[in-house]
Amino acid sequence: MYDALTVGQRVRERRRALGLTVGELGQRIDRAASQISVIEHGRRDLRLAEIDRIARALDTTSEDLLREDSPSPRAEREIRLERAQRSPLYASLGLPTVPVRASLSNAAIDAILGLHAELERLHTERAATPEQARRANAALRGDMRARGNYYPEIEAVARELLSALGHDSGPLSQRLTGELARHLGFTLHTDAEMPAGALSITDLEGGRIFVPVTRSAATDPRTLILQALASRALGHTPPRDYAEFLRQRVEANYLTGALLIPEADAVPRIQAAKAAHELSVEDLRDAFGVGYETAAHRFTNLITRHTQIPVHFLRTHESGVLVKAYENDGAVLPRDVLGAVEGQSVCRWWSARRVFLSDDQISPYAQYTDKPSGTFWCTSHIRVSERGRFSLSLGTRFEFAKWFRGRDTTRRYTSRCPDPACCKTPPESLRTRWENRTFPAARVPDTLLHALPTGVFPGVDETDVYAFLETRTNTPLTPE
């Protein structure tokens, strides 16, 4: 494999150094001058035997012609210009190409390249739509499903960090979280004036991590700190696109969960619970002092890997809209034509929605649901946040329910979704009574007309972040 443009530039540079014309080089290798010009402009892929012939004709070696670096700064400019003019973006503009001649100044090439880079930036920014984000998220969810939501390389990082702290079992305390920050070279600071959109800010130069002052009892201060530390431990660099931003977020969240609920301590508990037919998210939550959602996510990381039990997880708003989901048990999730599940409506007969109708919303809720893809058992828990109520649901196929606490539930419903007659189409009696006799005012989602946030870190204003750090750098701070 080689780059035809770079090889062509090296042929031209060497030919000119020898004082040869394209015709004279053509005579040496029995080729027309026009063919030499095509080669020098990188418009033809050469066989290795042809490269050998050209190298001999130019008194050099094939290895020299095949070097990857550009032969000179001027050649680098010409290569970049050729690549720009051959790009799909340039072709879509309908502009004529600019011949790359010796008379074309460096300043002119730089101007063209600068304009093309700006067009490419604007085009990419315009293309970063919710559609792109949904495609990226669907692809990421596919990768998670393929690996059973288990990342051995991140588990190894967690083990190394926990070992450095001397922590081998039980919950990771606030004190040990601070010790981990110091181990990684950071001090921790709380600040009430954090820029909007930033969950935390890491000052790489000063070795400081800023987190907001949390007033909600539901917010675990360890989580924000560990997420910031996880990005440093995993060597994350500013993401190049939205897909990489999503991947980094998943990795940071995964490492955070692996630190709060260490694999070495959690797996024996899970295996013992399976042997006793008492698997539950609640026990994992209580043993490690974390929230239900963190425990449920960690459960999906470890359960398939260590017990071969496939599962699914849903986070559903009380309106029935699916916010987050994962499955490797064959549960058919609602999805759009892009393969995205976020924003889709969950069947009203699934436990994710039936739980909101339960009289007892404190005790664990469980039910069986007969679906077109089979019968599934599921347990759901309600979480209240500033954005409303959400159900957190974890389930598995019928044949694996025997290992879970709550398997003896007598609740059982039938879902025919995605058949519209299941729950999307009103019953005939209601439709006949009210069709064309009502006109509800729809609550338009705030994000309906919003563009996807731009920037390296979507939704975070870099100016605000830099200004925040500048004021904190000039003001003495007391580490928290």
Side-chain angles (χ1 to χ4, degrees):
M1 297 295 293
Y2 66 89
D3 180 60
L5 277 170
T6 304
V7 171
Q9 284 288 342
R10 288 199 170 278
V11 170
R12 178 185 294 167
E13 291 274 322
R14 183 61 182 167
R15 174 180 63 77
R16 289 175 175 173
L18 295 176
L20 298 175
T21 65
V22 290
E24 289 170 337
L25 176 57
Q27 289 177 356
R28 291 191 178 191
I29 63 170
D30 195 25
R31 290 290 184 271
S34 60
Q35 293 183 24
I36 300 299
S37 181
V38 168
I39 291 171
E40 291 187 348
H41 282 89
R43 297 185 180 278
R44 183 183 157 205
D45 292 326
L46 298 170
R47 296 189 300 273
L48 290 178
E50 292 178 295
I51 294 175
D52 287 338
R53 288 183 63 191
I54 295 172
R56 288 195 297 270
L58 293 173
D59 271 341
T60 186
T61 64
S62 298
E63 290 75 13
D64 184 61
L65 293 182
L66 290 171
R67 283 170 52 193
E68 294 181 357
D69 58 307
S70 299
S72 67
R74 169 69 185 196
E76 172 66 21
R77 280 187 171 90
E78 294 184 1
I79 290 172
R80 290 177 57 203
L81 180 57
E82 286 283 2
R83 284 178 179 158
Q85 294 187 106
R86 297 180 192 182
S87 70
L89 174 57
Y90 194 97
S92 70
L93 300 174
L95 298 174
T97 57
V98 179
V100 181
R101 299 193 179 104
S103 58
L104 188 63
S105 69
N106 288 344
I109 294 178
D110 289 344
I112 296 171
L113 290 174
L115 288 171
H116 184 269
E118 181 62 12
L119 280 172
E120 195 170 47
R121 184 189 70 80
L122 292 172
H123 180 78
T124 302
E125 182 177 297
R126 185 171 64 250
T129 61
E131 177 182 326
Q132 182 190 33
R134 292 169 72 78
R135 288 185 187 275
N137 209 26
L140 182 60
R141 195 177 62 254
D143 176 66
M144 294 164 66
R145 184 185 192 280
R147 57 169 65 230
N149 207 20
Y150 182 81
Y151 291 71
E153 64 278 13
I154 300 181
E155 297 285 355
V157 174
R159 286 194 296 272
E160 181 181 341
L161 293 175
L162 292 169
S163 175
L165 297 176
H167 181 73
D168 55 7
S169 64
L172 186 71
S173 65
Q174 185 74 34
R175 179 186 66 80
L176 284 178
T177 302
E179 289 292 332
L180 179 59
R182 284 186 281 277
H183 171 72
L184 293 174
F186 292 94
T187 57
L188 304 176
H189 306 263
T190 56
D191 200 296
E193 300 178 1
M194 292 277 291
L199 295 174
S200 67
I201 295 176
T202 301
D203 173 10
L204 298 176
E205 180 180 83
R208 300 175 297 173
I209 292 178
F210 295 89
V211 294
V213 177
T214 57
R215 297 181 176 85
S216 171
T219 302
D220 188 339
R222 296 174 301 171
T223 301
L224 293 180
I225 296 169
L226 290 174
Q227 286 171 339
L229 292 173
S231 288
R232 306 319 315 150
L234 294 172
H236 287 166
T237 57
R240 294 165 295 182
D241 51 34
Y242 201 80
E244 186 172 4
F245 167 76
L246 290 177
R247 178 184 59 78
Q248 289 183 357
R249 187 178 66 170
V250 165
E251 291 176 349
N253 288 341
Y254 189 104
L255 181 53
T256 296
L259 291 169
L260 289 170
I261 306 177
E263 181 179 28
D265 193 5
V267 169
R269 296 173 186 268
I270 289 174
Q271 292 174 334
K274 181 191 175 189
H277 295 251
E278 287 290 313
L279 283 172
S280 74
V281 174
E282 288 83 7
D283 285 355
L284 205 62
R285 174 198 62 190
D286 297 341
F288 292 94
V290 297
Y292 188 94
E293 187 165 5
T294 298
H297 285 167
R298 193 64 178 137
F299 194 91
T300 67
N301 296 155
L302 302 173
I303 189 69
T304 304
R305 174 76 173 195
H306 294 286
T307 70
Q308 290 70 57
I309 297 176
V311 293
H312 65 266
F313 169 82
L314 283 74
R315 185 171 191 250
T316 309
H317 189 260
E318 60 185 327
S319 63
V321 172
L322 187 56
V323 178
K324 183 189 301 182
Y326 162 78
E327 65 81 22
N328 70 345
D329 62 354
V332 179
L333 304 175
R335 65 191 68 204
D336 63 16
V337 294
L338 301 177
V341 301
E342 294 76 16
Q344 301 302 297
S345 294
V346 171
C347 177
R348 66 177 66 250
W349 300 110
W350 291 11
S351 69
R353 293 187 65 178
R354 298 300 303 178
V355 66
F356 291 111
L357 303 177
S358 173
D359 292 332
D360 179 2
Q361 297 191 357
I362 298 176
S363 304
Y365 175 94
Q367 75 170 54
Y368 290 96
T369 309
D370 298 315
K371 304 177 182 179
S373 57
T375 299
F376 291 80
W377 172 90
C378 194
T379 181
S380 295
H381 168 87
I382 292 180
R383 176 189 174 190
V384 180
S385 76
E386 59 186 15
R387 297 184 179 180
R389 295 189 305 162
F390 294 85
S391 67
L392 305 172
S393 307
L394 186 132
T396 189
R397 298 187 68 85
F398 177 84
E399 57 265 35
F400 297 101
K402 62 184 178 181
W403 306 112
F404 287 80
R405 185 183 302 152
R407 63 190 176 277
D408 55 351
T409 180
T410 58
R411 300 186 188 96
R412 188 160 187 162
Y413 297 93
T414 298
S415 168
R416 289 176 290 148
C417 281
D419 181 355
C422 176
C423 61
K424 302 295 190 300
T425 304
E428 183 62 23
S429 60
L430 289 178
R431 187 189 65 79
T432 302
R433 171 70 180 87
W434 291 106
E435 189 175 34
N436 299 322
R437 292 183 175 89
T438 181
F439 191 87
R443 186 187 300 276
V444 179
D446 292 338
T447 58
L448 180 63
L449 302 178
H450 288 187
L452 195 68
T454 57
V456 176
F457 300 96
V460 178
D461 190 311
E462 289 186 350
T463 301
D464 287 347
V465 172
Y466 297 160
F468 171 86
L469 288 174
E470 186 65 21
T471 58
R472 272 56 183 179
T473 300
N474 296 329
T475 304
L477 292 168
T478 302
E480 293 291 337

